Amino acid sequence: MDSWSRNFELLIKSRTPLIWIRTKEEERLYKIIDQSCEKLNIKRFVSWDCVNGIKGVLNENGKFSNNPLGVLNWIKEQKSELPTILLVRDFHKFYDDPSISRTIKELSSSLRETHNNLILSSHILPSSEELDDLITIINLPLPDLSELTALIKKIAFNTDSDLSEQDLNELAIASSGLSEIKVKQVTAKALTQRGKISKYDIKDILEEKKQVIARSEILEFFESKSSQNDIGGLKLLKTWLKQRYRAFSKEAQEYGLPIPKGVLLVGPQGTGKSLIAKSISKSWSMPLLRLDVGRLFSSLVGSSEARTRETISRAEAMSPCILWIDEIDKGFGGDARSDGGTSQRVLASLLTWMAEKESAVFVIATANAIDKLPAELLRKGRFDEIFFLDLPNSEERLSILDLHLKKRRPSYDFPLSTIIDRTDGYSGAELEQAVIEGMHFSFSENRELMEKDLIKAVSELVPLSRTAKEQIEFLKEWSSTGRARSAS
Ligand code: ADP
């Protein structure tokens, strides 16, 4: 938080009169500003909310409850030499009132003549375009490792819990991604159950993190059982991923390698894109967070951007982790004019983040089509690499079929060559489907699976490559122009 506080103090010192801070952690924000006031020698730190009114000025305490306009006029009238910082909470609820937004507009110039600052805080921003020009908007990030360590240390001290340095460190790392209040809640639960906190609370903390992610609606914790051994073919992609994994190590950082950004996987449906995302999580032992692009956009216009930022900061706080943006083409395929430019702005925040990203969040984006994907996303440098996953060739089909057969009928012993010859244009998902279909035939006749069952299954299945021929041809052509690397 040191760098956030330094940045905030710089804004105050450089006479930035209006600052809007986006956070859900009101108490923590209050504490942080209070510490900054002390450092900046600002003696008058006043807060306001609509129930309690003004707090922090002797003769004014409790004033202006239920009167947001009153408190704005109050700071306007403070002309003394004593610099004042006024923090007003939940102001997004009042901003739509024309007299409020007008007064804030006026304050943006009149406060410049004084030593006073107005800080507005809320967990979302009002949807107003003029806001950007008037107010400096910043996010309060979730507590960082040093804050979490200090917090847990304090709780341990107050409760006579004996924590080794290593336990403390592990608890703090496990808590990353949680707000201060959540950490306090989890530790309070541990205290009532066991009377002290210990490294055994990590389990509860991780559970809480899952809950937080579940509540975010847009992110989902994905428990993956698939490993790289469950993937047939795609050799080049698998080798590339192995190399990238090593780039996360401390040695790689010392060697001067940047932390990998991520990869975009493009290809027809059922070629194993999602399977790759799931398997990396297991092989890299990193949590997999699946971002639901559809939900991101289903929120109200304006709040999609806020949600994107919140989602990103949640994922960052969870790092090292894998952020899987599933079917990215569905979200950004819309017409910019029809959604008021929301998808453009969400895309812009996502791209800026990816360009500047230093955290260990590896992004895997998957797309079935590229014709609707914005060009910015496909430009070099956004992702570390773009891979094209084509329909499997005969060798790959053999290994995919063998994998799925071994999974379900481990003792099968019939040749696969005839089936391979008859499945040109079938995706991995369709091959799996054929195995299941074949098993239905044999099961209904109370016998072991045979070659003829699979032959029957594949002959009855109409692969997507036949029904969506043009779309797949288009993808192939696009990838052959060197814009994407082949995954196999
Ligand atoms: P996509 O995300 O490309 O649409 P999926 O990864 O969801 O495709 O594939 C669906 C299912 O098909 C997978 O869960 C897996 O069982 C099977 N599958 C697809 N490709 C492969 C592959 N290369 N190796 C093994 N199984 C595969």
Side-chain angles (χ1 to χ4, degrees), residues 226-406:
S226 320
S227 75
Q228 301 250 343
N229 297 335
D230 298 315
I231 306 170
L234 309 175
K235 276 200 187 126
L236 291 179
L237 175 56
K238 284 199 258 182
T239 312
W240 183 89
L241 285 168
K242 239 180 226 149
Q243 282 174 357
R244 291 291 140 154
Y245 174 53
R246 287 208 55 213
F248 277 102
S249 65
K250 209 167 131 216
E251 292 77 35
Q253 316 291 294
E254 281 163 8
Y255 192 72
L257 276 174
I259 291 186
K261 285 181 198 297
V263 65
L264 172 62
L265 307 179
V266 184
Q269 237 170 20
T271 43
K273 300 180 293 297
S274 313
L275 188 61
I276 287 278
K278 293 177 208 164
S279 75
I280 301 180
S281 156
K282 183 104 184 282
S283 324
W284 292 8
S285 302
M286 288 186 193
L288 178 65
L289 305 179
R290 181 173 170 273
L291 189 151
D292 191 323
V293 183
R295 286 217 181 137
L296 192 62
F297 288 106
S298 65
S299 43
L300 294 171
V301 173
S303 67
S304 284
E305 293 148 86
R307 282 193 179 208
T308 310
R309 271 182 288 258
E310 194 190 318
T311 305
I312 287 173
S313 75
R314 284 238 173 272
E316 289 215 304
M318 212 65 80
S319 66
C321 68
I322 294 157
L323 180 65
W324 171 24
I325 311 182
D326 195 14
E327 305 201 337
I328 195 167
D329 44 333
K330 294 238 167 96
F332 300 113
D335 180 352
R337 279 160 301 177
S338 66
D339 68 356
T342 305
S343 61
Q344 283 303 309
R345 288 197 296 269
V346 168
L347 178 69
S349 359
L350 203 65
L351 290 178
T352 315
W353 170 67
M354 283 200 57
E356 294 166 359
K357 186 167 74 70
E358 282 176 9
S359 54
V361 178
F362 188 76
V363 180
I364 299 189
T366 55
N368 292 331
I370 42 100
D371 44 334
K372 286 191 190 138
L373 275 186
E376 303 97 290
L377 203 65
L378 298 170
R379 208 168 289 153
K380 287 263 173 230
R382 299 303 194 192
F383 291 95
D384 294 321
E385 194 59 83
I386 301 177
F387 276 97
F388 173 61
L389 285 81
D390 201 352
L391 292 165
N393 59 28
S394 59
E395 194 189 319
E396 289 180 308
R397 292 203 297 283
L398 181 71
S399 85
I400 296 173
L401 259 183
D402 181 58
L403 265 172
H404 285 288
L405 281 168
K406 285 218 173 98

Side-chain angles (χ1 to χ4, degrees), residues 125-184:
L125 283 181
S127 48
S128 164
E129 280 186 15
E130 64 184 8
L131 209 62
D132 284 354
D133 301 331
L134 292 180
I135 300 182
T136 303
I137 299 166
I138 49 177
N139 294 315
L140 179 70
L142 287 161
D144 61 19
L145 209 56
S146 67
E147 262 184 294
L148 289 169
T149 310
L151 175 68
I152 295 170
K153 206 170 180 173
K154 196 167 139 199
I155 298 172
F157 179 79
N158 290 341
T159 55
D160 275 338
S161 307
D162 206 9
L163 280 186
S164 69
E165 273 302 310
Q166 194 183 341
D167 293 350
L168 179 66
N169 196 26
E170 282 178 19
L171 277 165
I173 290 174
S175 310
S176 63
L178 293 182
S179 64
E180 197 176 280
I181 256 185
K182 278 275 166 261
V183 176
K184 283 182 182 163

